[in-house]
Amino acid sequence: MTDCIFCRIAAGELPANIAYEDEDVIAFHDLEPQAPTHVLVIPRQHLSTLLDADTGHTLLLGKLQLAAIEIARQLSLDKEGFRVVTNCLAGAGQSVFHVHVHLLGGRAFSWPPG
Ligand code: 5GP
Ligand code: ZN
């Protein structure tokens, strides 16, 4: 989708600070980090929200989680802990409509989230 900023980042058309990439997944640092580490993990395939996923996306959704975990290890978040979260729809805070996993770390996190 040419009007989707995350598709354009995945295609290399827009710049991003890449943290990880493979054939299915790409991850890059958030433009407005909400923690010392804030990485977005996205599928190369465009899905607007989690609600667009079905059983055909089982492997892909698993790859997003595993990529986030691997990046957390690489960035040394595996001792203090980290948060992995996906916002679905505007009511939950989603602002970019290309599915992404937020990987947040480097500070304490409260629960319940705001
Ligand atoms: P959401 O609000 O949809 O859960 O998360 C979208 C995230 O994308 C936000 O944290 C926002 O700062 C980030 N973001 C929006 N546009 C860009 C961009 O062009 N580049 C990068 N690296 N992050 C972006
Ligand atoms: Zn997209």
Side-chain angles (χ1 to χ4, degrees), residues 28-113:
F28 46 90
H29 292 268
D30 199 291
L31 209 54
E32 295 180 38
Q34 302 301 313
T37 294
H38 187 172
V39 172
L40 303 171
V41 188
I42 73 168
R44 290 188 183 276
Q45 176 189 350
H46 181 88
L47 289 173
S48 293
T49 82
L50 283 179
L51 293 165
D52 296 314
D54 59 28
T55 54
H57 300 102
T58 303
L59 188 58
L60 186 58
L61 293 181
K63 285 182 174 185
L64 292 178
Q65 296 290 317
L66 286 170
I69 295 163
E70 180 55 26
I71 297 161
R73 277 206 188 87
Q74 287 177 5
L75 298 179
S76 304
L77 299 176
D78 52 329
K79 298 290 184 288
E80 295 298 322
F82 54 90
R83 184 167 287 180
V84 171
V85 64
T86 296
N87 300 320
C88 184
L89 299 180
Q94 185 175 6
S95 61
V96 175
F97 285 78
H98 179 128
V99 164
H100 50 282
V101 168
H102 296 259
L103 166 64
L104 298 141
R107 66 169 171 85
F109 296 96
S110 59
W111 194 266

